[in-house]
Amino acid sequence: MKLGQLLSPGWRMPDLSDAFTCNCETHFSVTDVTDEILTLSVGFLCAGARSVVSTLWSVEDLASAMLSLFYYDLREAGLSRSWALQKAQQNLRNLTGKEFAARYQSALAQHLEELHAAIMEKHRGAMNETESKKLLEAARKIEAQQQRLEGCAKEDLPFNSPYYWAGFVSQGLS
């Protein structure tokens, strides 16, 4: 999705309650076109989203996934958007390696293994060298995440650093 698409009249989502954009720097704007802050978050708000959770910097994939799990669990429990984000950040910061291993590691490891197998299957049928290289790079990234899963279980507080949780911000209705 591109910002231009979200700002066009054809992209209107009046029923979109929450958008959780946890990829790289979705609340960051660099533009010479205008002095207005134009970000993906603003684009989603213009397109009709009531609230957008976005990141100020590139946050690790695993931390983003864990924070989004906490956030949506808290939203389902009835917390407002702003309180859910704050509590999700606290939950992530205080998540112990033992709790991570007991509650999340197995399911995440299985998901990564299935994803890795699917990518390697596509790699075997790659049509050209460029596609093959992209698929191998994706497989390497998954392998790195698999190693990260193992490391998190061994740490006391694997997501305690503000790097993992402080970059998330909420815009729109609380």
Side-chain angles (χ1 to χ4, degrees):
M1 174 116 359
K2 294 182 180 180
L3 179 59
Q5 291 173 310
L6 290 170
L7 295 174
S8 71
W11 282 84
R12 293 295 169 249
M13 299 171 265
D15 297 326
L16 182 60
S17 177
D18 292 331
F20 197 100
T21 61
C22 60
N23 50 338
C24 297
E25 302 160 353
T26 54
H27 188 69
F28 187 72
S29 175
V30 177
T31 180
D32 293 331
V33 177
T34 178
D35 60 353
E36 298 294 324
I37 298 175
L38 295 175
T39 65
L40 278 179
S41 303
V42 169
F44 274 106
L45 291 170
C46 289
R50 290 178 189 85
S51 174
V52 179
V53 174
S54 57
T55 58
L56 298 173
W57 55 78
S58 181
V59 179
E60 180 195 54
D61 291 340
L62 181 56
S64 296
M66 296 304 301
L67 188 109
S68 68
L69 287 172
F70 294 145
Y71 174 80
Y72 283 109
D73 283 348
L74 293 163
R75 288 288 292 135
E76 286 180 14
L79 269 67
S80 69
R81 292 171 181 93
S82 55
W83 280 108
L85 179 59
Q86 182 182 19
K87 182 70 175 155
Q89 288 170 314
Q90 292 169 355
N91 290 350
L92 183 62
R93 184 176 66 222
N94 297 320
L95 181 67
T96 66
K98 287 181 182 180
E99 183 182 3
F100 174 80
R103 295 184 69 194
Y104 306 104
Q105 185 179 13
S106 178
L108 289 169
Q110 181 180 347
H111 175 71
L112 287 175
E113 185 57 41
E114 291 169 2
L115 191 56
H116 189 269
I119 287 174
M120 294 310 292
E121 182 65 30
K122 284 182 181 179
H123 174 261
R124 285 188 277 285
M127 298 298 216
N128 58 53
E129 189 175 335
T130 302
E131 181 184 3
S132 177
K133 285 181 181 180
K134 286 181 183 180
L135 290 167
L136 283 176
E137 180 60 27
R140 281 192 279 279
K141 287 180 181 181
I142 291 171
E143 291 163 6
Q145 287 297 320
Q146 289 169 321
Q147 291 175 353
R148 175 74 171 122
L149 285 180
E150 295 295 324
C152 283
K154 297 173 185 173
E155 295 179 38
D156 289 334
L157 295 168
F159 303 104
N160 189 41
S161 170
Y163 163 76
Y164 296 112
W165 53 267
F168 292 89
V169 295
S170 180
Q171 290 178 273
L173 299 174
S174 64

